Amino acid sequence: MPTVSAPLSASPLQDAASVALAKQKLLPAAALEVYTGDPNFMASLARGLVVIQAFTPQMPQMTISQLSLRTGLSRAAVRRCLYTLVKLGFAGADEAQRYSLRPKMLTLANTYTASSTLANAAQPILERMSAAHGESFSVATLDGDDIVYIARSSVSRVMSVDLHIGSRLPAFCTSMGRVLLAYLPQDQLEAYFARVHMQQYTPKTINSPEKLRLALRNVRRNGYALCDQEFEVGLRSIAVPVQAPNGRVVACVNLSGHAPRMPMLEMQTRFLPPLRAAAMELSAFLR
């Protein structure tokens, strides 16, 4: 009777190589591979944008080697991107050759906010709400798998992360993200589920597709999303949709507050009506 050989197990070196390859695929540069061969795609511009987005409040200064590791781009590519950004005044370096972004970068963000009807309309509304209720309010839109803040009025720091216009947070475990996901067309929602990685940020984080689908159905049924300490312990938030004239949800309005002083019931009874009123007011600007 012929013997069946047991499959060979991978060596520790092979395992390490597999892990390294998996990590490499998660780096920003890997996302550019899909455009390989597209004659109209400007790879150099894309690499420059990847380098720009690598800078964060936690890592405002980096060397070429650090940026290469963070982005997945070669050091030569990073060096060329930085050379161009420095020449144009968007970046600079200190004596230790640590690079950082320069104030000129704000002109890019200001171009968006100045041309965005929704962002311009939202800011005074949020500031009025903060003055009336003494809480922090925000407006965000969906960008890929994240929400992006386009307007914010903050009266206190409720998160360890410093939130501001342009900040990004994962959609699946935030109230604004839940609203924006819940109203996506079905094909776009299925594509999101096929690629999203649900990290366990706190013990309360919903990190299974089945539970998230149920949560999104509840959002559509109730017309709002309420998240209890899923992204950060001690933070509760509630959000409602902002609709365009065609009925498509294009943004959402949100309230964030400290869980110990803001019971769930109070968020629904006290703050849901003004949030919905603000959403309707914003929708009017889109007509």
Side-chain angles (χ1 to χ4, degrees):
M1 187 173 186
T3 58
V4 179
S5 299
L8 295 175
S9 59
S11 68
L13 186 59
Q14 289 173 318
D15 288 338
S18 298
V19 171
L21 180 60
K23 288 182 177 179
Q24 183 71 18
K25 288 298 182 183
L26 296 176
L27 294 174
L32 305 183
E33 294 176 4
V34 69
Y35 302 105
T36 300
D38 185 342
N40 296 312
F41 184 75
M42 293 183 63
S44 57
L45 174 59
R47 287 192 289 267
L49 293 173
V50 166
V51 169
I52 289 172
Q53 293 177 85
F55 292 96
T56 66
Q58 294 75 34
M59 294 286 288
Q61 289 185 311
M62 282 181 279
T63 64
I64 289 175
S65 295
Q66 289 173 320
L67 281 163
S68 177
L69 289 172
R70 192 173 179 87
T71 62
L73 296 171
S74 69
R75 282 183 291 182
V78 171
R79 185 181 295 107
R80 289 193 297 271
C81 291
L82 290 171
Y83 178 85
T84 304
L85 291 170
V86 170
K87 287 295 183 181
L88 296 177
F90 289 105
D94 60 16
E95 297 81 2
Q97 290 301 296
R98 293 176 300 181
Y99 289 84
S100 60
L101 300 179
R102 290 294 183 256
K104 190 177 181 181
M105 193 63 65
L106 291 172
T107 59
L108 302 180
N110 289 339
T111 299
Y112 168 77
T113 54
S115 62
S116 171
T117 301
L118 186 60
N120 280 326
Q123 195 59 45
I125 293 174
L126 299 184
E127 290 173 359
R128 187 181 70 221
M129 293 175 70
S130 288
H133 300 284
E135 300 293 344
S136 299
F137 295 90
S138 307
V139 171
T141 59
L142 190 65
D143 184 32
D145 297 344
D146 299 330
I147 59 167
V148 179
Y149 285 72
I150 63 170
R152 179 164 169 79
S153 179
S154 179
V155 297
S156 62
R157 186 172 180 176
V158 298
M159 301 177 68
S160 62
V161 178
D162 182 22
L163 292 177
H164 52 270
I165 295 173
S167 291
R168 304 175 71 93
L169 294 179
F172 78 95
C173 61
T174 55
S175 62
M176 290 195 286
R178 295 264 174 89
V179 166
L180 295 166
L181 290 173
Y183 292 95
L184 280 179
Q186 191 61 36
D187 60 334
Q188 294 181 31
L189 183 60
E190 292 306 320
Y192 171 82
F193 273 107
R195 67 177 182 268
V196 69
H197 168 67
M198 300 182 191
Q199 180 178 335
Q200 186 83 44
Y201 287 99
T202 77
K204 291 193 172 187
T205 304
I206 290 177
N207 66 341
S208 75
E210 296 76 17
K211 290 182 179 179
L212 181 57
R213 287 182 187 276
L214 176 60
L216 296 183
R217 286 197 294 270
N218 288 335
V219 171
R220 291 186 68 93
R221 183 179 67 246
N222 300 326
Y224 68 91
L226 182 60
C227 277
D228 180 23
Q229 307 179 77
E230 291 193 46
F231 180 69
E232 182 173 307
V233 174
L235 177 76
R236 285 189 179 129
S237 62
I238 186 171
V240 299
V242 175
Q243 292 183 315
N246 61 3
R248 185 169 62 93
V249 172
V250 295
C252 53
V253 188
N254 152 281
L255 159 74
S256 300
H258 285 290
R261 65 174 182 80
M262 194 172 287
M264 301 274 280
L265 182 59
E266 182 182 2
M267 296 192 82
Q268 295 165 294
T269 57
R270 179 184 172 191
F271 293 110
L272 193 53
L275 282 172
R276 283 177 165 158
M280 290 184 63
E281 190 174 351
L282 283 174
S283 295
F285 281 95
L286 301 176
R287 301 184 189 281

